[in-house]
Amino acid sequence: MSQPPAKIVDIVDPRSKILSHAQVDQWIAAERGLGRRIGFTCGTFDLMHAGHVQYLHEAGKLCDRLLVAVNSDESVRRYKDPLRPINPADQRMYVVAGLADVDAVTTLDEDRPLALLLRWKPECYIKGGDYATSSLRSAPAVEEYGGSVRVIPHNFPTSSSATIGRIEAIARHAAPERVAPVEYRGLVLLDRDGTLIRDIPFLHDPALVQLLPGVGPGLAQLQDAGFALALVTNQQGIALGYYSEQDFIAVNQQLFRALAPFKISIAKIYFCPHSAADRCECRKPGTALLRRALRDFKMPPERTFLIGDHEADMQAGSAAGLRTVWAGGSFAGECTYVARDFSDAVNWILATQKQSVQPNG
Ligand SMILES: [Mg+2]
């Protein structure tokens, strides 16, 4: 019997390696016809790092042709993190396909690759990590059809999550040559819908974002007075399936664009993605998000204000010990101050803060 052809590393357009599942069927049949053994691995490959490259390089050595299934955006959101991935699937697949060690790339829509393994029966199923092959849930199925399972340990102490954590940590630190950041004199927590922008039920179209009167100049005044600004918003449309976290983020980005002419910096966005039926602690009038904001900004409740347009905002704020400012329509409930509009809310906060600030504080 003649030896199968040696693996040839060619310079090819990464796009030519990206295949649909049906194309993989044909590709595998052709490669097997030439006597080549198929290796299969899968993953998210969101922020490509040295650990990915090393593991795919080692995986390539275990087979004649390496097929990589990249998790679809939807599967990452569903099974890993609703706010990930950072890079969309077409770009993640393109980067993986750009590696010489990778011969073909396709999508993985499930949380585990079992269906694809049974469809293609690769001679070798490879995973990167520090666990025993016996702990891989799909391993018995692979061994049953006669395939082998290999785990490649990571040689680099890195991960996409660690990279993101490092970026977050760096972002919180001022560069040495910059002037030290001003200590916040207080914190203003802001409801979003009906307080900063026109209230549209289950808003998810960025084109419909419309700042309410006085919001831009008002937030600028608060910021100039030394207040940190953060959003605290209920978004049960996510849990109810009216829109996704990504739609929510797109709306927030449009809000930031609308605030850009006023040079407003919203420091953080706290959101509850649950529905009222979920009975979580974060949905206002629950106080979990407010308490988290106080911790994050190291701010006592006495120096924190909440502006909102719903009774749940006022209840949450007062339960967390904050001063609550109503900036909605007519109101009969309880709050610290009923403002005529957003400008009035801002003026009241500035006047109140002035009274309570110590001469040296
Ligand atoms: Mg509201």
Side-chain angles (χ1 to χ4, degrees):
M1 219 172 96
S2 63
Q3 284 285 96
K7 184 164 177 168
I8 299 164
V9 175
D10 234 343
I11 296 172
V12 294
D13 180 354
R15 276 191 189 84
S16 69
K17 298 184 188 173
I18 299 173
L19 307 178
S20 67
H21 289 178
Q23 287 170 323
V24 171
D25 292 341
Q26 294 175 2
W27 177 79
I28 287 184
E31 295 295 338
R32 287 224 172 96
L34 295 168
R36 295 185 180 123
R37 292 162 55 254
I38 306 298
F40 174 98
T41 190
C42 56
T44 306
F45 305 103
D46 194 3
L47 299 175
M48 205 70 168
H49 53 67
H52 290 135
V53 175
Q54 170 253 334
Y55 134 68
L56 291 174
H57 177 60
E58 295 301 322
K61 290 186 197 165
L62 297 173
C63 55
D64 300 312
R65 285 289 183 264
L66 180 62
L67 167 63
V68 182
V70 174
N71 281 96
S72 67
D73 295 341
E74 199 40 57
S75 72
V76 175
R77 282 180 207 129
R78 210 167 348 145
Y79 300 115
K80 293 190 173 172
D81 184 336
L83 296 174
R84 296 277 296 276
I86 289 174
N87 292 309
D90 60 333
Q91 294 180 23
R92 290 183 284 118
M93 291 168 78
Y94 186 84
V95 172
V96 172
L99 295 179
D101 295 294
V102 174
D103 298 292
V105 177
T106 193
T107 54
L108 173 60
D109 298 312
E110 315 295 325
D111 69 326
R112 50 188 298 216
L114 184 63
L116 297 184
L117 289 167
L118 294 177
R119 175 170 178 158
W120 296 321
K121 299 191 169 55
E123 280 74 11
C124 192
Y125 169 43
I126 306 148
K127 283 294 281 179
D130 294 314
Y131 30 72
T133 53
S134 58
S135 69
L136 289 178
R137 287 180 299 165
S138 302
V142 173
E143 280 154 2
E144 201 179 312
Y145 71 67
S148 63
V149 179
R150 294 287 293 274
V151 172
I152 298 174
H154 292 311
N155 281 355
F156 291 94
T158 181
S159 70
S160 298
S161 304
T163 302
I164 292 168
R166 172 134 179 84
I167 291 169
E168 284 176 345
I170 287 171
R172 279 193 285 268
H173 290 74
E177 69 272 20
R178 291 189 202 152
V179 178
V182 178
E183 276 277 302
Y184 290 122
R185 289 173 66 181
L187 171 64
V188 180
L189 299 176
L190 303 149
D191 170 57
R192 192 189 77 178
D193 302 295
T195 301
L196 299 185
I197 58 179
R198 195 158 65 93
D199 194 11
I200 296 173
F202 303 118
L203 173 63
H204 59 278
D205 179 357
L208 298 179
V209 170
Q210 193 188 336
L211 277 189
L212 289 170
V215 166
L219 292 179
Q221 276 180 281
L222 291 171
Q223 193 170 266
D224 290 347
F227 282 98
L229 306 173
L231 297 191
V232 181
T233 175
N234 286 351
Q235 294 295 328
Q236 74 164 335
I238 294 171
L240 298 176
Y242 290 114
Y243 51 88
S244 67
E245 276 94 350
Q246 307 308 312
D247 299 326
F248 167 64
I249 290 171
V251 167
N252 294 335
Q253 284 173 318
Q254 183 57 36
L255 166 61
F256 291 166
R257 277 193 284 276
L259 291 174
F262 303 96
K263 300 193 173 10
I264 308 296
S265 160
I266 302 289
K268 205 140 183 174
I269 299 173
Y270 300 92
F271 72 102
C272 168
H274 309 115
S275 73
D278 290 331
R279 300 182 177 281
C280 62
E281 291 184 3
C282 49
R283 181 176 165 78
K284 296 175 285 186
T287 58
L289 296 180
L290 307 184
R291 286 184 279 114
R292 213 178 113 198
L294 295 179
R295 278 200 307 278
D296 289 350
F297 287 88
K298 298 183 172 58
M299 196 63 69
E302 313 83 74
R303 282 161 61 192
T304 303
F305 298 82
L306 183 141
I307 308 179
D309 73 316
H310 195 280
E311 196 162 3
D313 297 324
M314 304 297 106
Q315 289 168 345
S318 92
L322 318 184
R323 272 170 286 194
T324 52
V325 186
W326 175 262
S330 59
F331 182 59
E334 282 195 23
C335 65
T336 318
Y337 181 69
V338 178
R340 289 185 303 279
D341 51 28
F342 198 83
S343 306
D344 185 34
V346 167
N347 288 334
W348 181 81
I349 290 173
L350 293 173
T352 306
Q353 179 71 358
K354 218 172 228 170
Q355 286 163 17
S356 59
V357 165
Q358 304 299 312
N360 61 350

